[in-house]
Amino acid sequence: MAGATAPRRSRITPEREAELYGAVLDLLREVGYDALTMDAVAARTRSSKATLYRQWGGKAELVVNAIRHDKPVEIGDIDTGSLRGDLHALTSRDDDCVMEQNSALMRGVAMALHQNPDLRQAFREQVVEPEMTEFRRVLDRAVERGEIRADCPALDFLVHMMVGGFATRTLLEDQPPTRAFLSSYIDAVILPALGVPTTS
Amino acid sequence: MAGATAPRRSRITPEREAELYGAVLDLLREVGYDALTMDAVAARTRSSKATLYRQWGGKAELVVNAIRHDKPVEIGDIDTGSLRGDLHALTSRDDDCVMEQNSALMRGVAMALHQNPDLRQAFREQVVEPEMTEFRRVLDRAVERGEIRADCPALDFLVHMMVGGFATRTLLEDQPPTRAFLSSYIDAVILPALGVPTTS
């Protein structure tokens, strides 16, 4: 996925790219989006700012690519043979500790999205829309298997349901989403809304 | 509801209280939570800062009370005789213009919640928990009428589902939640998750 981005990044090796993205995410966790500077990324990764700008164009694109690169598995590649299996496999990829770190990171990014239209656009185009396409692959297979009716109205709202579980848990309940929480939420909300029995 | 708050506010008339809260919400829309100062509230409302602190204790409590006061109807008082009727009545209270204003306001507040633990605690205690209690009254009546099974697991997640619709629409799709959107979301997600037919 990360390798399939814009051609101007082709001169960087995948290893170097992974190292750069890792440093960007570390900085994002440490100081947040607003305080993250291209100078700091350059210093941390021993690159020149000119290189960073040439390769990524700017801070928003660099950060969004780092977030996108951090997702090791394409959602649509998870194929356990049932929708319930796929969704539970999705939440089991990370342990609770990683999930808490990611949740803190994404909470910070959500705040930055609010205040930075350029970040919002890059995030929507390069993270949200590709993820929605991936989720759609998972759902399409469930429709083909006859698990979900093709005209089920909840098909359009999977991302809304998922975000609701994450965001409410994090912000209103002041708790990180755990695997146990997400499992309950999938069985209690997402599968019933899609008309899929949870006891299969 | 606003009249039932702490006794130390008893010396202010309801009209004066409404005027103060209105000014706080105006300031919140204009400058956001972080830039809102007690000085500005005092100036705008021709009060002394000492009075504001004596009545509300601090900025977080004043803002949270203003938000709470802005909700004209207790959710639990909406009683149309069916859950679907109640939820749709809830979304029909405001027109799309008011909903867009409220959405912008709440988006700003959500960002401030992230960075201010005192605001988060006051908001949870004085807005989220009372609203959850009110929603529970609506759901309890639906259980009593036999619309929802008493052991339906989605009963615990109504707020998560609602927030998901609002937050995703606002942040990821960059569109305000409209009445039409919320109506579709209630029928596509919330009622099916609760096992309630949408064609009643």
Side-chain angles (χ1 to χ4, degrees), chain A residues 111 114 124 160 172-173, chain B residues 111 114 124 160 172-173:
Chain A
M111 305 302 122
H114 172 58
R124 194 165 52 236
H160 300 76
L172 299 186
E173 299 175 1
Chain B
M111 306 302 123
H114 172 58
R124 194 164 54 237
H160 300 76
L172 299 186
E173 300 175 0

Side-chain angles (χ1 to χ4, degrees), chain B residues 72-128:
Chain B
V73 181
E74 288 299 314
I75 296 162
D77 291 342
I78 297 174
D79 190 0
T80 65
S82 76
L83 180 66
R84 181 166 192 263
D86 288 355
L87 293 180
H88 283 281
L90 188 65
T91 64
S92 313
R93 289 181 306 174
D94 301 323
D95 64 29
D96 285 349
C97 179
V98 170
M99 211 179 281
E100 184 166 353
Q101 286 174 352
N102 286 343
S103 159
L105 181 72
M106 291 313 298
R107 193 164 55 172
V109 169
M111 306 302 123
L113 287 177
H114 172 58
Q115 280 152 336
N116 299 277
D118 57 336
L119 179 67
R120 196 155 64 231
Q121 191 186 341
F123 189 79
R124 194 164 54 237
E125 288 175 4
Q126 300 198 36
V127 177
V128 178

Side-chain angles (χ1 to χ4, degrees), chain A residues 72-116:
Chain A
V73 182
E74 288 299 314
I75 296 162
D77 291 342
I78 297 174
D79 190 1
T80 65
S82 76
L83 180 66
R84 182 166 191 261
D86 288 355
L87 292 180
H88 283 281
L90 188 66
T91 64
S92 315
R93 289 181 306 174
D94 301 323
D95 64 28
D96 285 349
C97 180
V98 170
M99 210 179 281
E100 184 166 353
Q101 285 173 354
N102 286 344
S103 158
L105 181 73
M106 291 312 297
R107 194 164 52 172
V109 169
M111 305 302 122
L113 288 177
H114 172 58
Q115 280 152 337
N116 299 278

Side-chain angles (χ1 to χ4, degrees), chain B residues 116-158:
Chain B
N116 299 277
D118 57 336
L119 179 67
R120 196 155 64 231
Q121 191 186 341
F123 189 79
R124 194 164 54 237
E125 288 175 4
Q126 300 198 36
V127 177
V128 178
E129 287 171 8
E131 287 219 343
M132 286 175 91
T133 305
E134 290 292 309
F135 272 120
R136 194 72 216 190
R137 285 174 59 202
V138 171
L139 292 175
D140 283 348
R141 287 200 306 260
V143 171
E144 278 162 31
R145 282 189 299 258
E147 287 187 274
I148 308 176
R149 285 179 51 157
D151 62 353
C152 174
L155 282 169
D156 293 329
F157 297 111
L158 182 63

Side-chain angles (χ1 to χ4, degrees), chain A residues 1-3 5-6 9 12-29 36 41 45 52 55-56 61-70 105 126:
Chain A
M1 183 84 166
T5 41
R9 282 193 271 290
I12 278 196
T13 65
E15 292 73 22
R16 179 66 177 144
E17 191 178 48
E19 188 188 351
L20 271 160
Y21 287 150
V24 170
L25 294 184
D26 285 344
L27 276 168
L28 202 54
R29 286 191 191 92
L36 185 149
V41 175
T45 59
L52 295 178
Q55 296 281 335
W56 284 278
E61 205 187 352
L62 176 57
V63 165
V64 162
N65 273 282
I67 291 168
R68 184 171 165 180
H69 183 267
D70 192 43
L105 181 73
Q126 301 197 37

